[in-house]
Amino acid sequence: MLVHLKTQSDLEDAVHTLVKQDKRLRPVFELTGMPSLRQREPGFAGLAHIICGQQLSTASASAIWGRISAAFDPFDHDAIRKARTDRLGRLGLSAAKIKTLKLLAREIAEERLNLDVLSNEDADAAHNTLTSHHGIGPWTADVYLLFCLGHGDAWPAGDIAVQEAVKIGLGLKTRPTAKQMAPLAEPWRPLRGAAAHLWWAYYRVLKKREGVAVGQ
């Protein structure tokens, strides 16, 4: 069963189902309340936005994306495919990110990659499709699937905040690795994306609570 998280109501239905099915999530939900649905723009623009922000502070990422999105109207794969490399560099993109964006733009233009159909594929298959392309790592793929496409089963196993929340919420001795996160999330299929929203909300609660050391 494929679930999409397109509206806040979709997320609420999914979270209630998860909490009913897995009693370990009940105390987590009692602390967090209902999380808010996080959404980004879909398509090439959404993926490019995520790539531009990789390994940068929020402020730096926002500034660079602001310059890039303002420089191209419309902002689409053809615009980036045809753009001069030096122009993209002056806008703040690293050589590695320019290479990634140009390769993706070419793949889309030549119809070897269709970002829109990924929302209707199995989450793991869609993840593998994205990560097979140069410059798209697991975290980028999962964030795109979850926030841009609303894929209800996308699971950001490499996200440190989710890892730390799962560690504390499930009473684990150590923070699970991305590899260890996969079996931990099996009980939440096909709603792992909704579970991720819940764990992010839990992490934010933990950071605000006195006497709880998060990330140590």
Side-chain angles (χ1 to χ4, degrees):
M1 180 180 69
L2 190 60
V3 176
H4 290 107
L5 304 175
K6 297 292 189 181
T7 67
Q8 180 65 26
S9 178
D10 292 338
L11 177 62
E12 292 175 8
D13 289 344
V15 169
H16 284 308
T17 298
L18 286 168
V19 172
K20 182 183 291 186
Q21 291 179 349
D22 190 338
K23 64 182 181 181
R24 299 173 302 170
L25 299 179
R26 292 173 190 171
V28 173
F29 182 59
E30 287 171 3
L31 277 176
T32 64
M34 184 60 66
S36 297
L37 182 66
R38 297 166 66 176
Q39 293 178 301
R40 290 175 175 237
E41 66 270 42
F44 178 75
L47 184 55
H49 193 169
I50 297 167
I51 291 168
C52 289
Q54 288 173 346
Q55 299 175 321
L56 293 175
S57 68
T58 301
S60 295
S62 295
I64 292 173
W65 180 250
R67 289 195 295 271
I68 293 170
S69 57
F72 299 96
D73 184 18
F75 183 95
D76 57 23
H77 65 275
D78 271 331
I80 297 302
R81 184 172 60 89
K82 296 172 183 176
R84 289 175 58 92
T85 298
D86 58 348
R87 183 188 182 194
L88 294 171
R90 287 195 300 272
L91 292 170
L93 286 175
S94 67
K97 290 179 180 177
I98 293 170
K99 180 180 179 181
T100 294
L101 291 177
K102 281 194 161 290
L103 285 173
L104 283 173
R106 188 177 67 192
E107 290 294 287
I108 293 170
E110 297 179 1
E111 299 184 350
R112 289 194 292 265
L113 174 62
N114 185 331
L115 295 174
D116 297 328
V117 303
L118 297 177
S119 64
N120 293 317
E121 292 185 0
D122 171 81
D124 296 336
H127 172 100
N128 291 335
T129 294
L130 286 172
T131 56
S132 69
H133 293 276
H134 173 84
I136 300 183
W139 183 86
T140 298
D142 295 326
V143 167
Y144 179 76
L145 291 172
L146 185 54
F147 296 151
C148 298
L149 296 185
H151 201 305
D153 200 36
W155 177 239
D159 189 275
I160 292 175
V162 176
Q163 291 173 352
E164 188 66 24
V166 167
K167 171 198 164 186
I168 296 173
L170 297 186
L172 307 178
K173 291 183 178 180
T174 58
R175 190 170 72 203
T177 64
K179 186 175 182 179
Q180 292 167 336
M181 287 279 278
L184 287 171
E186 279 301 310
W188 308 322
R189 285 183 184 269
L191 302 173
R192 293 180 300 172
H197 276 82
L198 185 62
W199 287 118
W200 270 310
Y202 186 57
Y203 180 79
R204 289 192 293 273
V205 170
L206 293 174
K207 286 186 70 176
K208 292 177 182 176
R209 290 177 64 189
E210 279 188 19
V212 177
V214 175
Q216 297 182 0

